[in-house]
Amino acid sequence: MRDAPLDFVTAMAAYGDVTRHDADGGPVYMLNRPDLARYVLKENGANYTKDGTPDDDMLRPLLGNGLLTSSGKEWAAQRKMCAPAFRPSEVEKFDEVITGAAGNLARRWAETPYGQPVRVDHDLTALTLTVIVRAMLGTDIGGIGDGFGRAVDAVNRFIGHYVPNDDPDPADTSVRFAGFHRARGFLDQVTRLIIAARRAGGGDGHDLLTSMLASGHHMSDTDLRDQVLTIIMAGHETTAKALTWTLYLLDRHPEMARDAYAEVDDVLGDRTPVAADLPRLVACRQAIQEAMRLYPPVWLISRRSVEDDVIGGYDVPAGTLVCVSPWVLHRDPRYWQDADAYRPDRFAPERVALHLSHQYLPFGGGPRVCVGQHFAMAEATLVLAVILRRLRLELVEGFPVETEALVTLRPKHGMMMIPRSR
């Protein structure tokens, strides 16, 4: 599980719909069927908590008690406070923020010397970070953007390896831990400055931080820090990875890319997309949805049972770690024809209507489904349309593309691609 997690969860699924292995002195149940995932995440979700799970262990050191890590009544109150800012009508107000950032990136890529590659995954992470901070917090991080992005990357890499090696090198562990603390300190400082500035200046902006400050909920600076950093982290990392894998897959499947190019040309012509175009950008949206099927940004969801239960005929004692892997469910040939093939038309409305509940979990499932899923899809679709209107991205010949399952599913060696003018 430590050395090759995707191979491990795939191999375990071959043994059945419910499997068990022992890790760190306790049993781990893997659920490899949509109805079982639905049961744990939704139908009996009250019996399955995030407290004490690998998700919690990885994220809490950075995010504190924010929306991703809280539970019970506290989580419900936080969700209620945050949800209004992510309604479709609110999200669509930020289309110019999204397309402006995407246009700047497309322009920079277009001006790259002929044949010179760009680091697509890093550039998209910087883009989505800029968008979420501007749209959700009403702040432009400007000159500190690169430093913020590097700190986020350092933190992700550390918490993605939160389980130590059997025989760790003390020197290496010490260096990585010190790097994590430096990066977390930097993120803390920036986040607290944003909060302090907003408190001092008041403000009537239409963003999540303004909503939280005006919500009537008493929130300490620490509470606000946890929510703000949670929104920043969750609101940019997964979207950047989804876009990275989408551009890679479109390059590997030119026949699918042609559909997206034709759509962009037909819908947009020479203009920049706006939120009103989203219903017509069908091929772009489906290209992203299928990329998230094959490369789900969140590849493992973990819960811990509160009380004894029975799942699929198997006893689940209280305190048992129970996991669902979107990576496994999304590639199960029982539910997906030609499961390993990239076919965006799987997400045509008439086909989606035939999907089983919790068969497709790019944003999780049940009441804790990602509160920002509409924002993420709108942002990713608009960004992709802006890029495809001007460019095609071509993978550097011979460049190794290998998955790395950390907090999110990312390309282990990055994604080096060459921008070509259309």
Side-chain angles (χ1 to χ4, degrees), residues 43-168:
E43 292 171 358
N44 198 28
N47 189 52
Y48 292 90
T49 179
K50 294 188 76 169
D51 290 344
T53 64
D55 290 351
D56 190 47
D57 291 341
M58 283 190 294
L59 297 173
R60 190 171 291 275
L62 174 66
L63 302 182
N65 199 41
L67 190 61
L68 283 180
T69 50
S70 60
S71 297
K73 292 181 179 179
E74 191 171 23
W75 168 82
Q78 292 179 7
R79 176 91 177 197
K80 183 178 180 180
M81 180 181 64
C82 293
F86 291 97
R87 292 182 185 132
S89 59
E90 293 298 313
V91 168
E92 290 166 3
K93 295 176 182 177
F94 300 113
D95 56 353
E96 291 185 10
V97 172
I98 295 167
T99 57
N104 289 338
L105 178 60
R107 205 159 27 249
R108 182 158 62 81
W109 280 353
E111 293 169 356
T112 302
Y114 183 80
Q116 181 176 315
V118 295
R119 180 76 186 262
V120 167
D121 56 315
H122 275 187
D123 288 348
L124 287 172
T125 297
L127 181 153
T128 56
L129 180 61
T130 297
V131 168
I132 195 62
V133 171
R134 181 68 184 87
M136 292 294 100
L137 304 178
T139 301
D140 188 348
I141 55 176
I144 63 170
D146 288 344
F148 202 101
R150 285 194 299 271
V152 167
D153 196 57
V155 163
N156 276 339
R157 189 158 296 279
F158 179 86
I159 62 180
H161 291 292
Y162 76 99
V163 178
N165 295 323
D166 292 331
D167 185 21

Side-chain angles (χ1 to χ4, degrees), residues 233-248:
M233 293 293 289
H236 87 280
E237 171 73 5
T238 53
T239 307
K241 295 304 170 283
L243 281 166
T244 297
W245 291 115
T246 300
L247 290 173
Y248 162 71

Side-chain angles (χ1 to χ4, degrees), residues 233-312:
M233 293 293 289
H236 87 280
E237 171 73 5
T238 53
T239 307
K241 295 304 170 283
L243 281 166
T244 297
W245 291 115
T246 300
L247 290 173
Y248 162 71
L249 287 165
L250 288 175
D251 174 59
R252 299 292 90 182
H253 299 84
E255 70 283 3
M256 305 303 176
R258 279 194 292 271
D259 292 340
Y261 289 132
E263 175 181 270
V264 168
D265 293 342
D266 178 56
V267 172
L268 302 179
D270 292 329
R271 67 177 176 83
T272 299
V274 295
D277 295 315
L278 286 169
R280 299 178 62 200
L281 293 172
V282 177
C284 289
R285 182 177 66 253
Q286 291 176 359
I288 296 162
Q289 290 173 304
E290 176 71 342
M292 290 193 296
R293 183 186 70 83
L294 287 172
Y295 297 97
V298 177
W299 63 278
L300 189 70
I301 301 168
S302 60
R303 298 286 189 270
R304 197 170 290 279
S305 58
V306 178
E307 298 178 355
D308 294 349
D309 200 3
V310 177
I311 300 179

Side-chain angles (χ1 to χ4, degrees), residues 182-195:
R182 283 194 300 271
R184 184 176 65 175
F186 177 77
L187 295 174
D188 268 346
Q189 184 179 24
V190 172
T191 303
R192 291 182 186 278
L193 281 172
I194 292 172
I195 293 169

